[in-house]
């Protein structure tokens, strides 16, 4: 559950960066300011704002924070990416190269790598690899669904080190702690 929450947060922040960069300037209405002198509170409550709501995928600036109201074009929830198949090429009949297990997110919120279980793609050397995020291209597959395409070759994957979490490393060493950075 926590893994999916972190992954969802990570991908949402990465995907929102483009939308945020495009709408970094706060939106303002072009309506002239009206004087409130002589107006009763009932008259002021009856006024309607004519500012249009942001379109899908846009942000709304509230108290200097840009909130995303809905997904825009080419934006996806990370939950939708978990367990997604990764393909060896953009061909419609491309061989499956693995399955997305998780995302590695840096402290600044950028996605650094995609953790992929290679399954049978590497033959008898099936392993879990953290592939740099820039080695994955995103295309549209059938039914307008996002499709992950691996740009690394099979040989590069075979030479890549196996990815392990701190708790897996600790368990392998027999320490029983999953905290990174501790000394014995």
């Amino acid at each position: 559950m926590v893994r999916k929450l972190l992954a969802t947060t990570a991908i949402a922040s990465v995907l929102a960066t483009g939308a945020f960069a495009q709408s970094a300037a706060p939106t303002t209405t072009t309506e002239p300011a009206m004087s409130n002198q002589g107006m009763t509170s009932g008259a002021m409550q009856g006024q309607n704002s004519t500012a249009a709501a942001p379109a899908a995928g846009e942000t709304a600036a509230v108290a200097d924070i840009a909130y995303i109201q809905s997904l825009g074009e080419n934006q996806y929830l990370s939950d939708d990416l978990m367990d997604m198949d990764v393909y060896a090429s953009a061909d419609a009949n491309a061989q499956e190269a693995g399955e997305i297990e998780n995302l590695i997110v840096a402290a600044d919120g950028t996605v650094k790598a995609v953790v992929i279980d290679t399954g049978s793609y590497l033959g008898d050397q099936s392993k879990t690899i953290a592939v740099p995020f820039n080695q994955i291209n995103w295309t549209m597959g059938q039914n307008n669904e996002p499709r992950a395409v691996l740009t690394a070759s099979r040989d590069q994957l075979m030479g890549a080190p196996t990815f392990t979490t701190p708790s897996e490393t600790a368990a392998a060493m027999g320490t029983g702690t999953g905290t990174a950075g501790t000394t014995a």
Side-chain angles (χ1 to χ4, degrees):
M1 179 68 179
V2 172
R3 183 171 90 174
K4 284 192 176 189
L5 176 63
L6 289 174
T8 303
T9 305
I11 201 72
S13 65
V14 168
L15 296 175
T17 305
F20 180 70
Q22 291 176 359
S23 63
T27 57
T28 59
T29 60
T30 57
E31 205 173 87
M34 296 181 67
S35 171
N36 291 337
Q37 291 180 338
M39 294 183 82
T40 64
S41 63
M44 287 175 33
Q45 289 175 354
Q47 291 180 346
N48 289 329
S49 173
T50 58
E58 290 187 10
T59 58
V62 179
D64 297 330
I65 299 175
Y67 292 93
I68 296 176
Q69 294 178 311
S70 63
L71 291 176
E73 188 175 332
N74 296 324
Q75 293 180 341
Y76 308 98
L77 297 174
S78 67
D79 235 14
D80 295 339
L81 303 179
M82 295 303 114
D83 301 324
M84 177 184 280
D85 293 332
V86 179
Y87 294 91
S89 74
D91 257 357
N93 298 325
Q95 182 180 7
E96 183 182 317
E99 184 177 276
I100 297 175
E101 285 190 347
N102 213 333
L103 303 172
I104 298 176
V105 181
D108 65 357
T110 59
V111 176
K112 293 294 183 182
V114 177
V115 179
I116 298 175
D117 178 4
T118 61
S120 63
Y121 182 64
L122 300 179
D124 61 347
Q125 292 187 355
S126 176
K127 60 183 174 179
T128 301
I129 301 171
V131 177
F133 192 71
N134 63 358
Q135 294 295 310
I136 304 287
N137 284 337
W138 298 96
T139 62
M140 297 308 283
Q142 294 177 340
N143 301 326
N144 248 2
E145 294 291 323
R147 180 178 170 149
V149 177
L150 186 63
T151 60
S153 70
R154 181 184 303 229
D155 291 336
Q156 289 172 321
L157 293 179
M158 289 180 84
T162 300
F163 174 77
T164 57
T165 62
S167 60
E168 291 170 338
T169 303
M173 293 176 21
T175 61
T177 63
T179 308
T182 60
T183 58

